[in-house]
Amino acid sequence: MLDVVAVVLAVLACVLAALALRRTPRRPAADGVDALPEDVHGLRQEVAALKAENADALRHLSVVRYDAFGDVGGHLSWSLALLDDAGHGVVLTSIHGRSEARTYAKSISSWSCEQQLSPEEEEAIEHARP
């Protein structure tokens, strides 16, 4: 008989605990979970600002190596295109001969150049284009 009374009291205690939990008003979590939408909005703004900043970065690049002269091998000459998302940047070219090397820089605006480009420089720009 004592066992039955103990089981009934345990069941009654569980029912009362469940009722008490249902009546207790919910408080914001201590770890800030309820503030998440505001935080997410702020993070989205930060990501958008970083993307806008990154658009001007010279992040599109390509290197074309070649032999500028028939008597010099090893693909020692090269053209390097460094461009941002809008196609603004620079093409650097180094032409290596048997006794000397020359380096040139040409400004690129909107994926084109006011100066005459060599075929290798044009190739470097095309390979750098996303």
Side-chain angles (χ1 to χ4, degrees):
M1 169 112 170
L2 192 56
D3 293 337
V4 173
V5 173
V7 170
V8 170
L9 285 176
V11 169
L12 184 60
C14 288
V15 169
L16 289 175
L19 288 174
L21 284 175
R22 291 180 84 187
R23 290 184 184 164
T24 304
R26 297 190 83 197
R27 294 183 310 213
D31 60 356
V33 172
D34 289 345
L36 185 62
E38 184 178 316
D39 292 345
V40 170
H41 179 68
L43 288 173
R44 284 184 179 162
Q45 288 178 334
E46 286 184 43
V47 168
L50 288 172
K51 282 183 179 179
E53 256 182 57
N54 194 27
D56 294 336
L58 299 176
R59 60 189 194 123
H60 302 286
L61 62 98
S62 175
V63 176
V64 175
R65 295 177 55 116
Y66 55 97
D67 291 327
F69 305 107
D71 62 339
V72 178
H75 295 303
L76 297 176
S77 298
W78 49 265
S79 292
L80 168 66
L82 296 165
L83 304 165
D84 66 6
D85 288 342
H88 303 299
V90 65
V91 172
L92 303 173
T93 298
S94 180
I95 298 176
H96 290 261
R98 185 172 295 279
S99 62
E100 66 180 4
R102 294 181 182 219
T103 305
Y104 304 92
K106 296 179 182 176
S107 179
I108 306 298
S109 179
S110 298
W111 304 102
S112 63
C113 183
E114 292 180 5
Q115 300 162 320
Q116 180 72 31
L117 294 173
S118 71
E120 294 82 9
E121 291 168 331
E122 289 176 358
E123 182 181 353
I125 292 170
E126 284 305 311
H127 284 288
R129 185 175 278 199

